Amino acid sequence: MDETDSLFFQSLSFSGLRAGARLIVLGAVHGNETCGTLAIERVIEEIRNHRLALVAGSVTFIPVANPLAYARHQRMGERNLNRNLYPTPAPRQFEDHVANWLCPLLAQHDALLDLHSFHTGGEPFVMLGPENNSGPLEPFARAAEEESLARILGVRRFVDGWLDTYALGVQRRVAHLPGGADDNSLHTDLRYGVGTTEYMRSVGGYALTLECGQHEDPEAPHVAYRAIRNALTHLGIASGTLPQPTTEPEGLRLYQVIDKIHPEDRLSRDWASFDRVRAGELIGVRHDGTRVVAECEGYLVFPNPKALPGQEWFYLAKPGTRV
């Protein structure tokens, strides 16, 4: 029997008696990021046992978005579900089948809360989408609603600039490939930067990724749980006291992504997300001895010493002005 034969997709929806907002909450888009799964299961139990009252609208929970990666206890099944997320008429990899199931579900909702964790240590944070714009990369018109939701999730740090930074990274990646733009790898396609939140915005909704902490941090499931509860109350789906926005927000903007090029590329030390870097500070060393340094003062984000060649090694961020 094939490994995937026993797997299945599961979503669970609850609706209030009155019309209202439609929220969808995802866990385990990456199979080794389980804080969202634990938090979702906790909230479902509270609803079922009448400890949380839903009064309007609806919420759909997906505790495990990628069952193959979850079963393997690893980030991906056959590829990264949170890249190149589109329905396809000819699915080849397991994540293509997930996308064909998940994307129509996303399109039925107004807002998405996608719960993640990260590889190295660091403080929880929210990933925002773009400001309102009509540009070709990621047109958007619901930034105010998205920011309002982000402010009440219970964290103080907000990061934006994902897709345009990724697009610049694709240009740099193509320059390092022997085949250049003719290389058939998804990593050279701008669509590869589209994940759950980007897809949600493309179909008229708004969306947030909440990075709840390091994978094994025992506080991460509580961060995810608090965010779900706050979102349900903020959107009027659940009854209760409205959560207050964070009073000391910190906004950061991604501006550069650096890829790992060779298996022997190494980081200069054990970096954590949001470690400060000075202009000219050594971040990593290429296999041929080339030094990789920060262009300016800022922050390191998503350092991944286990990244594969051709994939994101780390991001750099500057102070932002969104919040």
Side-chain angles (χ1 to χ4, degrees):
M1 185 174 67
D2 186 85
E3 180 184 9
T4 61
D5 287 346
S6 62
L7 301 177
F8 55 88
F9 303 135
Q10 181 185 50
S11 65
L12 186 62
S13 296
F14 298 90
S15 298
L17 295 180
R18 301 194 303 272
R22 299 166 298 170
L23 173 67
I24 185 168
V25 185
L26 306 184
V29 164
H30 296 135
N32 61 337
E33 300 177 17
T34 59
C35 60
T37 303
L38 295 171
I40 288 170
E41 290 172 346
R42 181 179 173 186
V43 175
I44 289 174
E45 187 210 2
E46 291 181 344
I47 295 171
R48 283 176 164 164
N49 290 304
H50 306 286
R51 297 200 302 272
L52 176 61
L54 303 186
V55 294
S58 65
V59 58
T60 298
F61 295 109
I62 299 179
V64 177
N66 191 336
L68 178 58
Y70 186 79
R72 291 178 174 179
H73 308 290
Q74 61 190 32
R75 179 175 174 82
M76 300 181 290
E78 295 178 334
R79 69 170 178 84
N80 191 341
L81 177 62
N82 217 22
R83 303 287 187 274
N84 195 47
L85 186 72
Y86 290 96
T88 174
R92 294 183 301 166
Q93 296 171 306
F94 181 80
E95 281 77 4
D96 296 333
H97 293 283
V98 180
N100 284 348
W101 167 73
L102 180 60
C103 289
L105 269 178
L106 293 176
Q108 295 169 19
H109 294 79
D110 302 307
L112 162 66
L113 178 60
D114 191 1
L115 301 165
H116 286 254
S117 56
F118 42 88
H119 180 80
T120 54
E123 180 180 335
F125 64 97
V126 178
M127 291 287 292
L128 291 167
E131 297 182 86
N132 289 342
N133 73 96
S134 56
L137 184 62
E138 192 177 15
F140 192 47
R142 305 185 72 173
E145 293 168 276
E146 194 171 277
E147 291 175 16
S148 178
L149 180 60
R151 286 174 179 268
I152 56 82
L153 293 182
V155 300
R156 69 175 189 90
R157 181 170 281 159
F158 306 86
V159 181
D160 73 329
W162 159 256
L163 196 55
D164 50 356
T165 299
Y166 192 89
L168 292 174
V170 166
Q171 296 175 13
R172 189 178 300 108
R173 186 174 296 149
V174 167
H176 283 96
L177 290 170
D182 294 328
D183 191 289
N184 290 324
S185 169
L186 279 172
H187 298 277
T188 65
D189 190 338
L190 286 181
R191 282 170 46 119
Y192 195 70
V194 173
T196 58
T197 53
E198 291 77 25
Y199 183 82
M200 185 69 175
R201 296 183 194 108
S202 76
V203 292
Y206 60 98
L208 295 168
T209 295
L210 178 63
E211 297 283 353
C212 301
Q214 197 275 336
H215 297 328
E216 307 301 326
D217 186 346
E219 284 298 308
H222 176 70
V223 172
Y225 167 79
R226 178 180 60 197
I228 298 171
R229 289 292 303 259
N230 284 2
L232 289 171
T233 309
H234 171 79
L235 294 172
I237 298 170
S239 61
T241 304
L242 289 176
Q244 294 302 304
T246 182
T247 57
E248 297 181 352
E250 178 186 33
L252 299 176
R253 179 169 181 79
L254 300 175
Y255 72 90
Q256 189 175 37
V257 56
I258 302 297
D259 286 348
K260 196 169 187 176
I261 298 175
H262 189 276
E264 295 180 13
D265 291 350
R266 58 181 176 82
L267 297 174
S268 62
R269 65 177 177 87
D270 292 333
W271 293 97
S273 274
F274 303 106
D275 278 347
R276 283 184 171 272
V277 292
R278 301 182 304 274
E281 183 172 0
L282 179 68
I283 299 175
V285 180
R286 299 290 188 190
H287 72 288
D288 61 0
T290 301
R291 293 163 55 88
V292 182
V293 301
E295 293 182 358
C296 61
E297 184 174 347
Y299 301 83
L300 199 70
V301 185
F302 293 140
N304 184 4
K306 296 183 179 181
L308 298 175
Q311 295 184 357
E312 303 105 294
W313 198 16
F314 58 85
Y315 286 79
L316 291 166
K318 300 176 181 178
T321 60
R322 289 285 297 279
V323 295

